[in-house]
Amino acid sequence: GVGLRASSYVWQPSFAQVNGGLRLMQTQDGHGDTGGETRIANTKSTSVTGNGTLLLFPVSRFPFSASYDVSDSRASGELTASNYLSKRLGLRQNYVPPEGNSSYTLSYDRSAIESSSFGTDIARSLALAATRYSGPHSFSFNGSRYDNTHGSDNSSLSRYQINHGYRPEARLSVDSFANYSVNDYRVGSAGVAPLDNQSRFLQLNTFGSWQ
């Protein structure tokens, strides 16, 4: 295999930074069959893998990053039951207001594994996180959704959490939590009615301490 890596920036390093690499690999498989005579079949294949990252405004209050990666199981050197190709995309946006008392993060990831033996498996996740401070109060929110699809089967998991903290003085604190999650699972096959399963979970907590 042959590999190449490079990194640079656009205009100024504080504006945009880019880096990545490419790898070219050629494999050859040989199969022998003795049944009165010896037959040897050679199969050649070429694959291109690599990764890249883009950073926009990396030292600002609103940095953005994007990454993409393609890998081949044949290039890892590990023994696997079947060869597969893995692709992953990641996006992330951060933001901090000028006041500096809050922060926000939004991220998205998509992963796909492709194989001639088991098909394609796709996983996606979306997440949002927010934090804010105002005097003796603190607020935070974390929400995420995860989806997985494989043929006619798919599953999803959604989670949401809200926290509130109140600390009017060093000796007194009150914390409240709310958690909610939904899990959906669907299995389907040809000629059979799909199986659907859904579960929900809700939790509310409040506790205080005084010293």
Side-chain angles (χ1 to χ4, degrees):
V2 179
L4 174 66
R5 291 200 61 84
S7 62
S8 184
Y9 61 86
V10 179
W11 186 36
Q12 296 289 338
S14 58
F15 175 73
Q17 301 176 14
V18 293
N19 65 80
L22 289 175
R23 180 178 176 84
L24 177 65
M25 183 185 67
Q26 187 176 71
T27 59
Q28 179 175 331
D29 298 328
H31 305 281
D33 183 12
T34 57
E37 60 178 323
T38 301
R39 301 174 182 174
I40 299 178
N42 292 323
T43 302
K44 293 183 179 180
S45 61
T46 303
S47 63
V48 179
T49 62
N51 58 76
T53 303
L54 169 65
L55 303 176
L56 292 178
F57 312 108
V59 294
S60 68
R61 292 183 291 103
F62 42 88
F64 171 80
S65 64
S67 62
Y68 188 71
D69 181 89
V70 180
S71 60
D72 195 316
S73 62
R74 293 170 297 179
S76 64
E78 299 180 0
L79 294 177
T80 58
S82 59
N83 296 325
Y84 63 87
L85 187 67
S86 175
K87 302 177 182 180
R88 180 173 182 179
L89 169 68
L91 305 174
R92 183 183 181 93
Q93 177 68 66
N94 294 340
Y95 175 67
V96 177
E99 298 81 8
N101 62 343
S102 58
S103 62
Y104 307 90
T105 302
L106 179 64
S107 60
Y108 173 78
D109 285 278
R110 184 184 187 277
S111 300
I113 298 179
E114 303 173 359
S115 173
S116 58
S117 60
F118 58 78
T120 301
D121 193 313
I122 300 176
R124 295 172 293 268
S125 66
L126 180 66
L128 172 65
T131 303
R132 180 177 176 83
Y133 299 93
S134 178
H137 300 274
S138 63
F139 305 88
S140 66
F141 170 81
N142 288 277
S144 63
R145 180 179 175 86
Y146 173 83
D147 294 283
N148 182 268
T149 303
H150 181 76
S152 58
D153 302 339
N154 60 77
S155 62
S156 65
L157 174 62
S158 301
R159 292 180 176 176
Y160 309 96
Q161 181 178 18
I162 300 176
N163 300 336
H164 172 252
Y166 177 64
R167 290 170 175 77
E169 56 173 307
R171 296 181 298 173
L172 175 63
S173 65
V174 180
D175 294 283
S176 302
F177 306 89
N179 297 288
Y180 180 67
S181 63
V182 180
N183 191 354
D184 288 304
Y185 187 67
R186 179 184 178 90
V187 180
S189 58
V192 180
L195 173 64
D196 294 313
N197 183 33
Q198 184 181 85
S199 60
R200 293 185 175 91
F201 175 78
L202 174 64
Q203 182 182 33
L204 301 173
N205 288 322
T206 296
F207 65 90
S209 64
W210 177 77
Q211 298 177 347

